[in-house]
Amino acid sequence: MLLHLVAEFDLRRDVVPWLAARGWAAALDTSENSSVLYVVNVERNGKIIYTWKGNQRNTHIGLYDLQTKQNEHLYMFERDLHIISCSVNNERTLLAVSFRQYTEEERVSRLLQSVSKYLTLLIEIHPINNVRVLKAVDSCVRVQFLYPVEGRNTSTGSRLLLVSEDKYIEQFDVHVVAEEHKVVIQNSGQLPRARVADDLIWAQWDMMEQRLFYIVPKESRSTLKCVQFYPDENFNSILESHLDISVNGTQLKLVNFGYDYCEDQDVASKSLNLQVFTSKAGGLCVCCSLPSDIPGEIRYSIYFLHKGYNKTFTVSLERTELKEVAFMNLDYYVAAYLPGQFLHLLNIQHPDLLCYSLFLTGEDARIDTLQNCSIRSPLTSTVLDCCVGSMYAVSISDSALLQFLQNSKQDSERLAALHCALLHFRHTEDLEMQIIWWISENLSTCHSFDPIQEFIIASLYCRMCPETHNLDKLLPYTSLLDWIGIIPGVTCATDIISLPVLEFQNSKGFWEKLNSNLESVKYAEPRLHYHNNVLRREWRNLSEEREERKTTAYLRNIFENAKKVLSHLDTWDSEERLGPLFQEEDYQQQLLMGLMVAQLKDHLMRHLQYVGKKKIDQIVLDYVANLLNLVHRIMKEVWRRYQLHSCTFCFDERGSAREFAVFHIMSRILEAANGMCMPLPPGFHTLHLGLGVRCLPLHTLLHYIDSGVLHLTETCVRKLLEDLDDTEENEKLKFSIVMRLPEALGQKVRQFWNHPINANLIARKYVKLLLEKLGNRQCSRPIPERLLVPVEFLPLNYLTNMLAEIEDQGVHPYEKQDHINVRFVEETALKHTMMLLGLKYS
């Protein structure tokens, strides 16, 4: 089971023992009649209001405090009433109650047509004193006190919302005064009131943020509106968004205005099954269950208003009696749940690609404690089961998610679970270790994405984005540009919708973040994310022009950036590093490091000007250093996984099967880095080449070198030339490596192989370089006798004299190696000739 539920409140556990201790035994029998004891409301401060029938069928109202775990008796009616709605103010001095006095049948039988069906009362309860009638009507009314910001003293008054079945909402201002150890309502006449909304067909109360969402029909479409209530007793309409939802013939549906289970069941089939969810990151979603006439077909839509599009899902099931989907708010995800069938976790922050949403069936989708659709999500990551009177804290189980990741057979499931683990959970070493181990075992099973790329990009995104507001819109969160995969049994249709219109001034928190998200959509959000296209092109150009531009100020600045990254990384890592990582120079990787710093800095400066240059410099250094650190972390975990204890290799023995497995993983890391144009820690190529020499046959090794999978590095080639003796097989290996060395590197390391073949190669290179320097110039004077060369060997005599003249002009390709000169060429040529003739050279 992927979702983990912890019961924060349960009527049988937390209330029934308290009732029994006080003699209200009738309330204990809750199994036969759910109307005996049930929850009627959850207030903002975590207090749960419930009602029960006493021994004399009196109707009681009680309160349970989630913080103190204490129950409190609030009020008793000496009648058998059906409580519809109830709310208590923050100071617990006033109680608003709405109840049904009689059913229609009872009114007729008792000749009570002139008596109103529903009554709404305002009661002083500190102590119990006066009762004021607010409404006496034949239409149902729901009540809800507004709650102030925590810590704000509002004891002089309260504000109460009344929501009428006649499709309007109004606010009452209730001022109180303290008189002789009691609190009473100050107004002797009518309470001041203000109309909040009219003509609504659906409304939802957001208790935590004191917001009212409601829908009004408007021509062929419906309009979602939001009213924000403020601590200064003001309120204003702050949002308006058009929804393509049919509302013809629907009854009024109220969400989070108390929980009348019987009443809700009566109107469920005739009203909108719709909920609005918000997230801390400024996400705004409208979740709606849609009707379907096709047996076994379930349809529901998620309007991602903060992204500007709607996704409609159609799920085909073999058999189901339930047709209404329940929705839950998990902050980072919205859950669509059909008990016994499926659990669909939709990523709110990144809903563009289906592969970031988890669709679960069978055992993975099962939630034992939620087996019906009478559930509400009054708070983020909280579920209230109205039928049984239990409230649960809901979270995604990290152990179940990792198990699901390990057992997944489809790429869509793997990718969704991987992103959920990386972006949703707080990073721990153990979690990272398990993910890296999974990646190392599943590199060949993921066909539509690279798990190494996704791990690095998603981990960076998770680590960096909390640092600065709006950074999440500028950094990449995936390596994928699109997704063409499918979820079996599920079809999805995406429609572009108009963006919500916001009207607010100087509002912080959610509205500011939502507005920022909408602005990102307006300015083509995909283009805001940092991309490596320019980086790849610039790196390629600079790599090709290395010699010509090595001393330019631009290039010096690039390498200074790389030096800062490595110095920054040195201040983090106190653990022993995997040698030779970060222990040698790597021109190409340091060039790429510095370029990434420069280009990422330019990208952030364009969009985060208000942050300041110093802060952006720090963000960029952190980003690139974290990137290198993640690669190092992968390497260390892989080394530990395969129990490789040393990174200093002896080339005179073959590698083990475990070393070959690590070599394969390193090759995939290199492939992932090349795909993203991502720098690798200096020393990576040395380590990779060392494993390649030990594990691969010669022809495969050379193929990997020629195709660019393995890179020849000075450290590894020098060790190979020095450590291996000159057997026939080793000579072949050394010769093949030496022949493939770039010119600059060859000049440095060839001298470490004292062998005629190598001397011949060096001499040939030296002659070639001298003649290239000479070009087409002709000698204008007789060639002097510079060397004591036997006259009988005229071709060599002529060549050495010509080379000597070139040297005399100040041309010396091997300036740092004085022993390589014309005399060296002469001796090497004679040795080589004598060897070919089978003669002894003295």
Side-chain angles (χ1 to χ4, degrees):
M1 294 180 289
L2 189 64
L3 289 189
H4 178 61
L5 273 66
V6 176
E8 293 190 326
F9 170 78
D10 182 77
L11 282 173
R12 288 187 176 88
R13 182 193 69 190
D14 300 317
V15 176
V16 169
W18 180 77
L19 295 178
R22 282 153 183 78
W24 287 303
L28 297 176
D29 186 15
T30 59
S31 58
E32 296 181 2
N33 188 356
S34 62
S35 66
V36 172
L37 173 64
Y38 59 94
V39 173
V40 290
N41 202 1
V42 180
E43 298 288 11
R44 184 181 188 272
N45 55 11
K47 293 179 173 57
I48 299 170
I49 301 175
Y50 53 89
T51 181
W52 76 94
K53 300 296 189 294
N55 294 332
Q56 306 300 320
R57 301 305 291 175
N58 297 331
T59 303
H60 298 259
I61 298 173
L63 179 142
Y64 179 81
D65 192 326
L66 285 175
Q67 303 299 321
T68 64
K69 310 296 183 186
Q70 298 295 316
N71 286 279
E72 179 182 348
H73 185 264
L74 294 180
Y75 196 75
M76 181 188 75
F77 293 97
E78 295 180 349
R79 290 176 54 190
D80 184 358
L81 301 173
H82 178 68
I83 303 293
I84 293 171
S85 179
C86 186
S87 183
V88 64
N89 67 346
N90 187 51
E91 295 76 24
R92 282 188 289 174
T93 57
L94 298 173
L95 180 70
V97 184
S98 174
F99 56 86
R100 186 177 64 202
Q101 298 195 85
Y102 307 101
T103 65
E104 192 63 34
E105 293 75 12
E106 288 172 336
R107 286 210 301 172
V108 172
S109 63
R110 298 183 187 184
L111 303 177
L112 299 173
Q113 283 86 348
S114 60
V115 178
S116 59
K117 184 178 177 181
Y118 296 95
L119 204 60
T120 303
L121 305 178
L122 182 61
I123 307 169
E124 298 168 356
I125 59 171
H126 189 71
I128 294 173
N129 193 22
N130 298 321
V131 176
R132 179 172 295 202
V133 177
L134 295 180
K135 292 283 183 182
V137 292
D138 288 340
S139 55
C140 181
V141 174
R142 303 288 180 103
V143 292
Q144 178 61 57
F145 274 106
L146 300 181
Y147 273 64
V149 175
E150 292 183 6
R152 183 184 174 93
N153 184 12
T154 57
S155 59
T156 59
S158 296
R159 290 181 292 162
L160 176 68
L161 293 181
L162 261 70
V163 187
S164 172
E165 196 177 36
D166 293 331
K167 302 182 179 180
Y168 68 86
I169 300 176
E170 54 187 359
Q171 174 187 286
F172 285 79
D173 289 330
V174 186
H175 292 277
V176 297
V177 293
E179 294 181 356
E180 298 178 357
H181 307 291
K182 63 182 178 180
V183 177
V184 298
I185 300 172
Q186 185 178 22
N187 312 69
S188 58
Q190 291 288 328
L191 295 174
R193 69 180 72 183
R195 190 62 66 102
V196 177
D198 282 299
D199 302 322
L200 59 135
I201 49 92
W202 174 92
Q204 175 180 313
W205 178 242
D206 182 344
M207 69 181 76
M208 290 304 298
E209 302 300 332
Q210 301 290 280
R211 292 189 287 247
L212 170 68
F213 293 98
Y214 66 98
I215 292 176
V216 295
K218 195 172 184 179
E219 298 175 355
S220 61
R221 298 194 295 179
S222 52
T223 301
L224 173 71
K225 296 185 178 183
C226 180
V227 173
Q228 177 72 64
F229 294 87
Y230 300 101
D232 60 1
E233 301 186 3
N234 289 325
F235 64 87
N236 66 284
S237 181
I238 202 167
L239 173 141
E240 186 170 310
S241 179
H242 298 295
L243 302 176
D244 189 17
I245 296 176
S246 175
V247 296
N248 295 329
T250 59
Q251 292 188 11
L252 176 67
K253 177 68 176 290
L254 301 175
V255 180
N256 296 341
F257 280 102
Y259 306 98
D260 180 10
Y261 176 67
C262 297
E263 192 80 17
D264 289 346
Q265 289 295 95
D266 293 339
V267 301
S269 60
K270 304 172 186 176
S271 59
L272 291 173
N273 178 10
L274 184 146
Q275 283 188 267
V276 173
F277 293 139
T278 60
S279 71
K280 295 175 185 175
L284 177 60
C285 298
V286 178
C287 307
C288 182
S289 183
L290 303 175
S292 175
D293 297 328
I294 301 175
E297 183 179 88
I298 303 296
R299 297 178 67 239
Y300 52 97
S301 282
I302 311 294
Y303 289 79
F304 299 98
L305 298 183
H306 59 293
K307 293 291 186 179
Y309 52 79
N310 161 48
K311 289 183 179 290
T312 300
F313 298 92
T314 303
V315 182
S316 299
L317 303 172
E318 291 183 2
R319 184 181 61 184
T320 179
E321 296 178 1
L322 298 172
K323 297 288 282 186
E324 291 288 329
V325 176
F327 299 104
M328 293 176 277
N329 183 6
L330 304 181
D331 188 52
Y332 203 86
Y333 289 90
V334 163
Y337 176 55
L338 192 67
Q341 298 295 339
F342 66 81
L343 173 67
H344 194 178
L345 297 180
L346 294 123
N347 193 311
I348 293 178
Q349 199 163 351
H350 306 297
D352 44 343
L353 302 182
L354 283 181
C355 52
Y356 301 133
S357 298
L358 279 161
F359 188 85
L360 308 173
T361 58
E363 184 66 20
D364 295 317
R366 185 169 60 86
I367 307 176
D368 284 336
T369 49
L370 298 178
Q371 291 301 320
N372 58 72
C373 285
S374 63
I375 62 176
R376 300 287 183 270
S377 190
L379 303 167
T380 300
S381 300
T382 302
V383 170
L384 175 67
D385 190 329
C386 307
C387 184
V388 299
S390 297
M391 192 163 77
Y392 305 94
V394 186
S395 61
I396 299 175
S397 167
D398 53 355
S399 59
L401 181 67
L402 288 173
Q403 188 67 38
F404 177 79
L405 175 65
Q406 292 163 2
N407 296 336
S408 296
K409 304 300 181 185
Q410 301 175 34
D411 276 5
S412 59
E413 294 176 343
R414 296 186 183 108
L415 188 54
L418 183 60
H419 263 261
C420 182
L422 293 173
L423 298 182
H424 188 64
F425 293 121
R426 187 175 63 86
H427 274 228
T428 62
E429 284 198 9
D430 183 64
L431 177 66
E432 279 192 351
M433 178 193 71
Q434 293 189 60
I435 292 175
I436 291 170
W437 285 14
W438 175 84
I439 289 173
S440 68
E441 294 171 350
N442 290 271
L443 287 170
S444 58
T445 61
C446 300
H447 304 292
S448 55
F449 74 100
D450 187 322
I452 295 175
Q453 289 184 351
E454 288 302 304
F455 172 77
I456 292 173
I457 291 293
S459 297
L460 284 172
Y461 185 86
C462 180
R463 292 182 181 188
M464 299 301 302
C465 288
E467 285 194 13
T468 304
H469 179 52
N470 282 334
L471 196 57
D472 59 318
K473 301 174 184 63
L474 302 175
L475 296 179
Y477 59 88
T478 179
S479 62
L480 298 178
L481 299 178
D482 54 27
W483 175 263
I484 58 174
I486 61 172
I487 301 175
V490 181
T491 59
C492 175
T494 303
D495 298 303
I496 304 299
I497 59 175
S498 57
L499 293 176
V501 177
L502 293 180
E503 295 182 9
F504 67 91
Q505 291 181 346
N506 303 322
S507 184
K508 299 295 183 182
F510 171 78
W511 295 115
E512 182 184 28
K513 292 177 181 178
L514 174 60
N515 186 60
S516 175
N517 287 334
L518 296 177
E519 290 297 312
S520 298
V521 175
K522 291 177 185 176
Y523 295 107
E525 185 180 28
R527 290 203 294 271
L528 292 177
H529 289 286
Y530 172 74
H531 203 272
N532 59 34
N533 287 344
V534 178
L535 174 64
R536 188 185 301 278
R537 185 168 59 249
E538 182 69 5
W539 184 46
R540 186 181 297 117
N541 292 340
L542 286 177
S543 298
E544 294 171 354
E545 302 170 7
R546 182 177 64 180
E547 295 300 327
E548 291 77 3
R549 299 181 58 178
K550 185 181 292 187
T551 59
T552 64
Y554 172 70
L555 213 53
R556 284 198 301 272
N557 183 57
I558 293 299
F559 281 102
E560 188 62 31
N561 289 339
K563 188 185 296 184
K564 289 178 182 177
V565 170
L566 295 174
S567 299
H568 189 51
L569 198 55
D570 285 338
T571 63
W572 290 359
D573 201 353
S574 58
E575 297 181 22
E576 182 182 354
R577 285 177 174 169
L578 198 64
L581 299 186
F582 301 106
Q583 295 177 12
E584 62 180 60
E585 296 284 332
D586 189 324
Y587 178 89
Q588 290 293 337
Q589 296 308 311
Q590 289 172 250
L591 175 63
L592 184 53
M593 253 182 259
L595 278 173
M596 177 175 275
V597 169
Q599 296 199 4
L600 184 56
K601 188 185 300 183
D602 290 344
H603 177 72
L604 297 184
M605 285 293 289
R606 283 196 296 272
H607 302 286
L608 294 178
Q609 297 176 4
Y610 58 88
V611 172
K613 182 179 182 300
K614 187 174 181 180
K615 176 64 174 176
I616 288 178
D617 287 346
Q618 188 62 44
I619 291 171
V620 171
L621 285 179
D622 284 348
Y623 188 86
V624 182
N626 266 303
L627 190 157
L628 296 172
N629 203 39
L630 279 168
V631 177
H632 181 245
R633 180 72 200 278
I634 295 173
M635 297 280 291
K636 284 192 72 171
E637 290 301 338
V638 168
W639 233 255
R640 185 185 308 168
R641 173 83 171 181
Y642 289 93
Q643 300 176 346
L644 301 188
H645 303 293
S646 174
C647 303
T648 305
F649 299 106
C650 301
F651 291 117
D652 55 356
E653 60 182 50
R654 303 302 297 167
S656 64
R658 289 180 303 185
E659 288 179 15
F660 184 81
V662 173
F663 172 79
H664 175 67
I665 294 171
M666 289 191 69
S667 299
R668 290 299 300 267
I669 293 173
L670 178 63
E671 182 183 344
N674 290 338
M676 295 188 297
C677 199
M678 175 187 78
L680 292 166
F684 178 92
H685 290 301
T686 293
L687 199 54
H688 193 206
L689 180 61
L691 280 172
V693 171
R694 285 175 60 87
C695 297
L696 299 176
L698 181 59
H699 66 280
T700 307
L701 175 70
L702 299 179
H703 173 69
Y704 275 40
I705 294 172
D706 295 338
S707 59
V709 175
L710 289 173
H711 295 243
L712 298 175
T713 66
E714 179 180 352
T715 303
C716 190
V717 173
R718 177 175 174 175
K719 182 172 178 57
L720 184 146
L721 294 177
E722 289 179 333
D723 289 2
L724 287 181
D725 56 15
D726 289 331
T727 63
E728 183 178 349
E729 184 178 352
N730 288 344
E731 281 185 358
K732 190 175 181 181
L733 169 62
K734 290 181 178 181
F735 178 75
S736 301
I737 295 292
V738 166
M739 288 296 292
R740 286 167 168 78
L741 290 174
E743 183 57 40
L745 179 58
Q747 288 188 23
K748 292 181 180 179
V749 300
R750 284 195 188 103
Q751 58 181 310
F752 297 106
W753 186 24
N754 185 19
H755 191 277
I757 295 178
N758 189 45
N760 187 32
L761 285 172
I762 294 173
R764 287 171 181 268
K765 284 282 187 182
Y766 186 76
V767 171
K768 179 184 176 185
L769 289 172
L770 282 178
L771 293 177
E772 285 175 351
K773 297 289 184 181
L774 176 64
N776 295 323
R777 289 179 296 170
Q778 299 296 323
C779 297
S780 57
R781 57 188 175 83
I783 299 172
E785 294 286 338
R786 291 290 302 267
L787 299 172
L788 298 175
V789 179
V791 188
E792 293 82 3
F793 202 178
L794 294 178
L796 181 59
N797 187 14
Y798 178 80
L799 175 63
T800 52
N801 275 288
M802 183 174 67
L803 296 178
E805 182 181 358
I806 299 171
E807 274 189 352
D808 210 33
Q809 296 175 9
V811 178
H812 200 299
Y814 290 75
E815 293 179 358
K816 296 181 181 180
Q817 300 176 37
D818 294 335
H819 69 284
I820 300 178
N821 49 29
V822 174
R823 170 71 68 180
F824 175 80
V825 173
E826 176 188 33
E827 291 181 355
T828 302
L830 289 173
K831 287 180 182 178
H832 185 63
T833 303
M834 298 292 284
M835 184 178 66
L836 291 176
L837 295 173
L839 302 175
K840 195 174 211 181
Y841 179 80
S842 57

